[in-house]
Amino acid sequence: MSDASAKTSRTANAEEIARFSAMAEKWWDPNGVMKPLHKFNPVRLALLRDNICAHVGRDPNTIEPLKDIEIIDIGCGAGLLSEPLARMGAKMTSIDAAANNIEVAKVHAQQSGLEIDYRCATPEMLADEGKQFDIVLNMEVIEHVDDPQFFMQACASVLKPGGLMFVATLNRTIKSLALAKIGAEYILRWLPAGTHDWRKFVKPSEMSGFLRGAGLEMTDITGVAYNPINDKWSPAPRDLDVNYMVIARKPDAA
């Protein structure tokens, strides 16, 4: 990570703030360049809310079902997942290695009246500070890192004993090559060409090994599938061929 991405600037001027404000509007436009992620978000949020509530014994249908639960969103981007979780009452710490993403996220959170601790950081940087959280979100990040095992260990190190980590990623199959890589990037143009490297997609068996190597126990795995007829994403427990999400638990302290 470059120096420019390692920390956020403390010398932002009015022109930079205005530029980031304009960028925030584009990132958060549900019909703009982030449209696919906006469509994907509802199913992710429902899975997160329901499983976190089940873990802590809460009703997911209350106004703030995640009130005071400490969550870290690793690789948060511009905050498309962090903001709705904050509205559910969660105490959000959201990190990204790209300084621009964090600046955009800060601007939009301020515009939305939300308090989110956004930082340009990596999980190992927070681990060095001794930070730990009730819930770790590791959503669509591991397929972009060079050392998945080290990354998983760093993510696990900021999880409290007894806490849950959610990991969402893409399976390395012929189907995912056709749909998530060739189809999404070159045919449908949902994503810029080159967004993903199919060779870095993670098979569930590999994911299980990464989690065990980080001292975590996989407790659940479910697929998430896209229906082109109704243009919606939905849970597909038996379909792990493309997108899937894993829940892992850190053992209680001895």
Side-chain angles (χ1 to χ4, degrees):
M1 184 170 58
S2 69
D3 291 342
S5 295
K7 59 184 179 180
T8 55
S9 172
R10 297 183 180 180
T11 58
N13 58 32
E15 290 183 359
E16 288 178 327
I17 293 172
R19 181 165 59 253
F20 285 129
S21 295
M23 289 173 63
E25 292 177 1
K26 293 178 182 178
W27 276 78
W28 284 86
D29 179 1
N31 296 309
V33 294
M34 299 302 291
K35 182 178 179 178
L37 194 52
H38 280 275
K39 286 187 174 293
F40 194 36
N41 239 15
V43 67
R44 295 197 304 172
L45 286 166
L47 287 167
L48 292 172
R49 179 202 62 201
D50 292 351
N51 282 283
I52 294 172
C53 285
H55 178 64
V56 299
R58 293 189 184 177
D59 181 356
N61 297 311
T62 58
I63 295 176
E64 291 188 314
L66 306 183
K67 187 173 178 59
D68 295 330
I69 295 177
E70 295 182 328
I71 301 178
I72 181 168
D73 184 4
I74 295 172
C76 63
L80 299 187
L81 196 58
S82 296
E83 286 202 12
L85 292 172
R87 289 192 178 92
M88 293 183 199
K91 292 184 177 179
M92 295 299 303
T93 297
S94 303
I95 65 173
D96 199 283
N100 283 352
N101 286 346
I102 292 299
E103 293 302 329
V104 170
K106 285 180 177 179
V107 168
H108 196 273
Q110 184 178 28
Q111 293 172 342
S112 303
L114 295 172
E115 292 188 11
I116 298 174
D117 183 8
Y118 280 114
R119 305 184 187 189
C120 184
T122 59
E124 58 268 28
M125 291 168 66
L126 269 68
D128 289 342
E129 297 177 16
K131 300 286 186 181
Q132 287 194 317
F133 302 84
D134 301 313
I135 303 292
V136 170
L137 304 184
N138 184 341
M139 310 295 282
E140 291 86 35
V141 183
I142 193 169
E143 68 270 18
H144 297 287
V145 304
D146 291 331
D147 190 337
Q149 185 63 76
F150 175 80
F151 175 72
M152 191 65 74
Q153 290 170 339
C155 293
S157 68
V158 297
L159 180 63
K160 292 179 182 178
L164 296 182
M165 179 188 292
F166 293 81
V167 187
T169 191
L170 290 150
N171 197 352
R172 194 172 66 255
T173 62
I174 296 301
K175 185 175 177 180
S176 71
L177 175 63
L179 298 181
K181 177 62 183 177
I182 299 172
E185 295 182 18
Y186 295 97
I187 298 175
L188 298 175
R189 301 290 183 179
W190 282 353
L191 300 168
T195 297
H196 290 111
D197 180 348
W198 178 79
R199 296 168 298 179
K200 292 178 131 182
F201 289 5
V202 182
K203 290 180 176 291
S205 58
E206 295 168 341
M207 178 65 70
S208 179
F210 294 147
L211 291 168
R212 287 196 305 272
L216 303 180
E217 175 189 1
M218 184 189 297
T219 61
D220 195 21
I221 183 169
T222 186
V224 182
Y226 174 71
N227 185 333
I229 296 175
N230 59 17
D231 191 26
K232 288 185 179 180
W233 292 86
S234 60
R238 297 183 179 181
D239 184 1
L240 307 178
D241 291 345
V242 184
N243 296 81
Y244 68 95
M245 187 169 77
V246 166
I247 305 174
R249 183 179 181 277
K250 191 171 190 176
D252 295 321

